[in-house]
């Protein structure tokens, strides 16, 4: 039939090794983290990444969050956040938002203080292909930036990059709130979606 393709694609070689970084590690230390669902494929994917030193595990420091305590590898446990990890639908727009989930995660990130030791903090979804050294190279052009905009509507998506200055401002905003769990200026009187993760 016209427009129909049949058959199977050729076998691909199995990806067993992370490509080596090219050249020396560039300036700009990275603290990277992921949020993982405790069920499904993300945990096994993170375990594979850890074994290979890939994705966030190729950063200078890393952390993994979930709402359940699990171990990815010996000495690498998930940090528990107080959230059901469920995105919510806005009844007015019909859009789905996960802002409240990420507010709980960013609260843990700021509370731990690990980000203070690094130039950049990077949120990476577990199922994203991410090469830390490529990011370091790209960040040379963005010295002094508060965050890297990856969308014309602002900071959104599977990889989000914030400077130490930006995360410190967010940490201060958490501290200014009455319960230290929700950033005061970030959410007061605002309607927001995923982009509010970094306001």
């Amino acid at each position: 039939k016209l427009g129909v393709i049949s058959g199977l694609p050729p076998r691909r070689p199995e990806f067993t090794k992370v490509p080596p970084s090219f050249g020396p590690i560039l300036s700009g230390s990275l603290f990277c983290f992921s949020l993982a669902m405790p069920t499904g494929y993300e945990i096994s994917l993170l375990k594979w990444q850890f074994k290979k030193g890939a994705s966030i595990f190729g950063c200078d420091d890393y952390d993994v969050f979930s709402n359940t305590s699990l171990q990815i590898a010996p000495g690498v446990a998930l940090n528990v956040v107080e959230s059901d990890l469920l995105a919510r639908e806005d009844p007015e727009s019909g859009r789905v938002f996960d802002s409240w989930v990420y507010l709980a995660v960013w609260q843990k990130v700021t509370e731990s203080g690990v980000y203070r030791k690094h130039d950049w903090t990077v949120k990476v979804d577990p199922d994203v292909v991410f090469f830390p050294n490529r990011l370091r190279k790209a960040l040379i052009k963005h010295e002094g930036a508060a965050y890297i905009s990856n969308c014309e509507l602002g900071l959104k998506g599977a990889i989000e990059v914030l400077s130490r200055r930006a995360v410190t401002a967010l940490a201060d905003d958490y501290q200014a709130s009455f319960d230290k769990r929700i950033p005061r200026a970030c959410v007061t009187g605002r309607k927001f979606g995923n982009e509010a993760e970094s306001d």
Side-chain angles (χ1 to χ4, degrees), residues 88-142:
R88 303 287 190 262
E89 183 176 349
D90 177 16
E92 292 177 26
S93 68
R95 294 172 55 200
V96 177
F97 298 116
D98 58 1
S99 300
W100 294 106
V101 171
Y102 276 99
L103 287 172
V105 174
W106 279 105
Q107 189 269 332
K108 285 287 190 184
V109 168
T110 60
E111 184 179 85
S112 79
V114 175
Y115 74 90
R116 292 182 189 278
K117 299 188 296 186
H118 300 286
D119 300 306
W120 298 94
T121 296
V122 187
K123 188 272 292 185
V124 181
D125 286 354
D127 56 359
V128 167
V129 176
F130 171 58
F131 297 101
N133 279 346
R134 289 186 184 180
L135 177 61
R136 283 186 180 96
K137 186 176 180 181
L139 289 173
I140 290 171
K141 296 184 280 184
H142 298 282

Side-chain angles (χ1 to χ4, degrees), residues 15-184:
F15 183 64
T16 57
K17 190 173 164 190
V18 175
S21 59
F22 299 98
I25 291 181
L26 302 165
S27 63
S29 62
L30 303 176
F31 165 57
C32 303
F33 72 89
S34 290
L35 171 66
M37 296 298 286
T39 58
Y41 65 92
E42 290 181 340
I43 298 299
S44 61
L45 187 55
L46 286 163
K47 287 179 179 183
W48 183 91
Q49 291 169 354
F50 178 80
K51 275 194 222 174
K52 304 295 182 183
S55 191
I56 67 169
F57 303 105
C59 295
D60 302 290
D61 254 325
Y62 54 81
D63 214 337
V64 183
F65 298 92
S66 189
N67 63 350
T68 303
S69 182
L70 294 170
Q71 209 171 38
I72 290 179
V76 182
L78 300 179
N79 282 316
V80 177
V81 295
E82 292 182 42
S83 172
D84 58 12
L85 306 185
L86 298 176
R88 303 287 190 262
E89 183 176 349
D90 177 16
E92 292 177 26
S93 68
R95 294 172 55 200
V96 177
F97 298 116
D98 58 1
S99 300
W100 294 106
V101 171
Y102 276 99
L103 287 172
V105 174
W106 279 105
Q107 189 269 332
K108 285 287 190 184
V109 168
T110 60
E111 184 179 85
S112 79
V114 175
Y115 74 90
R116 292 182 189 278
K117 299 188 296 186
H118 300 286
D119 300 306
W120 298 94
T121 296
V122 187
K123 188 272 292 185
V124 181
D125 286 354
D127 56 359
V128 167
V129 176
F130 171 58
F131 297 101
N133 279 346
R134 289 186 184 180
L135 177 61
R136 283 186 180 96
K137 186 176 180 181
L139 289 173
I140 290 171
K141 296 184 280 184
H142 298 282
E143 190 175 329
Y147 67 94
I148 307 304
S149 179
N150 58 8
C151 173
E152 65 183 31
L153 300 175
L155 187 63
K156 293 183 179 229
I159 299 177
E160 298 176 354
V161 183
L162 287 81
S163 70
R164 178 180 24 217
R165 180 172 47 104
V167 182
T168 298
L170 180 60
D172 292 345
D173 203 23
Y174 275 101
Q175 289 303 307
S177 70
F178 76 96
D179 64 358
K180 314 279 190 259
R181 294 178 58 197
I182 296 173
R184 185 182 52 84

